[in-house]
Each structure stands twice: as C-alpha cells, then as structure tokens.
Amino acid sequence: MLIAGNWKMAKGPSEAAAFCRALREADLPDDVDAVVCPPFTSLAEAVQTLAGTEIGVFAQNCHWEREGAFTGEVSAPMLRELGVYGTIVGHSERRQWFGETDETVAKRAGAALADGLHVIACVGETEAEREAGETEAVLRRQTAVLEADDNLVVAYEPVWAIGTGKTATPEMAHEAHEVIKSVLDVPVLYGGSVKPDNAAELLAQGAVDGALVGGASLDVDSFVAICRAASHS
Ligand code: 13P
C-alpha cells in the first residue's frame, strides 16, 4: 500500500519542516509506504528532515527536458540532485489550469522515469464525462499514452471528487482501477476526498493499491490516520 500526500500549493519550507519532523516521530505501519509531495520550494527542507527514514519525497511536476529555455519548469536531474525520490505528473489541476495534455503528461512521465525518478501519473474523468458515459474511454485514452515501468504508479482521481467532499463509491473506484489495469499492469492509487473515515473502505477494494490524498494529508494526525487505515488492507 502506498499513501501519498499531495500538498498542492500549501506549506512553505518552515511549515514543511515542522510537518516532516512530526511525521518522523509518528508510528507509521511497516506495511505502508508513506510519501509526501511538497511544492518545489519545500522539497529540500522535506528531504533533509526525512533523511534516514523510509518516507519518500516526491515533487508535484517535472519537465521532460533536462535543461533549457523553459521558464517556470524544473527538470528530473534537478529533483534528483535535491534527493527527491519521485514526482507526480498529469494532475487534473495541471490539465485543467495549465494546459497539460495527454501528450505532455506522457513526455513528463517518460523523462522522469528515464532519469530514475518514481512517477505517480494521474488520470480521471470530469463530471460531464462521467454523466456522458465516457469514463471508461477517458481512462483508456489517458492511460494508453503511458508506458509500463516498474517505477510507475497511476492515480485514479475522478475530477468531480477532488476537493469536493464527494468520493467515488468503493465499487466505482474498483471498476475504474480495473479499466486502468487492463490497459497498463501497474499499481493504481485512488484520489479524491480521501479522509481518515473513508480510507479503509476504499482501500479494501482489490484493485485499489493505495491513495493520493490532498486536503486530508495537510494535517499530520489525519495523514497518519489514513496510513493506519491502509495497513493490512
Ligand atoms: P482531495 O483529497 O483534497 O480531494 O485532493 C485529491 C487530490 O487531488 C490529490 O492529488
């Protein structure tokens, strides 16, 4: 089980350090891999504070070129130099607000993997797509551009469930994960309003291999509670 906390645009370096110090002291279950995904400016602090632990630090994005004229972007070698272990790519907020496409997501994932980073690649349908019966086609399309890799994990994040308090039912998550796994044989995380009180039920589904948690990962106690809920499931 992998539980990843996507902090999005929250926690500067001092808050990140305080969170990571508390996480170090927490009693995390041995059968759960915990990962934090701070914003770029807090990565160094998180890596240093979590040094010597099993808790991985992931970035939230990564460019496909190693260096060049790409203002505002950060590359895989830069992340590696900091001691960052992996990166999220293709989050729906990047697809929605920053022009990310299936093609750029595939390029980002491929380059990050080639440079030795682990990757969490996000896919998921919008509410309109679900209502139009397009969920399966969207998941197939978004997943098909990715290449299988031992260090690749896909996160199924239905866009309508992100930050809304709505979650997919465990059955909906299972069904979507089966579609993704039929295209690409990789572990699949569920994301979208995962909280301590719904985590166990979602994670008990056979095809759910972990969670990508937004809001509920910002508080140490709540993040640790989700990690505990993931244990033995
Ligand atoms: P919430 O858990 O806040 O719904 O966010 C989910 C998400 O987008 C994680 O990447």
Side-chain angles (χ1 to χ4, degrees):
M1 278 280 159
L2 171 63
I3 303 297
N6 176 10
W7 296 358
K8 309 193 178 183
M9 199 171 71
K11 298 193 192 296
S14 48
E15 260 189 82
F19 181 100
C20 293
R21 275 195 300 274
L23 193 56
R24 268 194 90 107
E25 301 306 317
D27 191 16
L28 290 170
D30 291 338
D31 58 339
V32 172
D33 294 318
V35 158
V36 292
C37 313
F40 287 129
T41 56
S42 301
L43 286 170
E45 206 69 49
V47 167
Q48 283 157 23
T49 311
L50 293 172
T53 74
E54 299 280 303
I55 304 163
V57 177
F58 276 47
Q60 297 173 13
N61 196 14
C62 174
H63 198 261
W64 54 87
E65 292 292 342
R66 299 171 65 84
E67 66 172 33
F70 299 101
T71 303
E73 292 282 333
V74 169
S75 73
M78 293 170 181
L79 296 173
R80 290 289 308 272
E81 188 178 339
L82 275 187
V84 168
Y85 192 72
T87 185
I88 296 172
V89 298
H91 192 278
S92 63
E93 285 149 16
R94 298 217 54 85
R95 295 178 190 254
Q96 187 175 1
W97 305 113
F98 304 101
E100 201 76 72
T101 64
D102 292 344
E103 190 193 351
T104 58
V105 173
K107 285 166 80 169
R108 291 180 192 279
L113 290 163
D115 256 304
L117 289 170
H118 287 241
V119 167
I120 299 171
C122 305
V123 300
E125 80 287 359
T126 62
E127 188 151 38
E129 287 164 341
R130 177 162 282 271
E131 280 170 6
E134 293 167 2
T135 300
E136 181 169 343
V138 169
L139 296 180
R140 285 185 182 282
R141 191 197 76 223
Q142 291 179 340
T143 307
V145 296
L146 302 167
E147 278 183 43
D149 190 290
D150 287 347
N151 295 336
L152 174 67
V153 169
V154 169
Y156 168 58
E157 298 208 308
V159 176
W160 48 270
I162 294 178
T164 58
K166 292 189 209 167
T167 44
T169 62
E171 295 72 28
M172 277 156 100
H174 180 80
E175 212 173 284
H177 287 213
E178 291 287 3
V179 170
I180 294 163
K181 284 171 185 273
S182 74
V183 180
L184 208 56
D185 185 19
V186 293
V188 181
L189 314 181
Y190 171 77
S193 299
V194 175
K195 307 272 184 272
D197 61 1
N198 63 19
E201 195 188 12
L202 285 158
L203 293 165
Q205 297 297 309
V208 178
D209 303 305
L212 182 56
V213 187
S217 76
L218 294 174
D219 174 78
V220 180
D221 292 341
S222 138
F223 183 63
V224 170
I226 293 170
C227 291
R228 295 212 178 113
S231 184
H232 304 303
S233 59

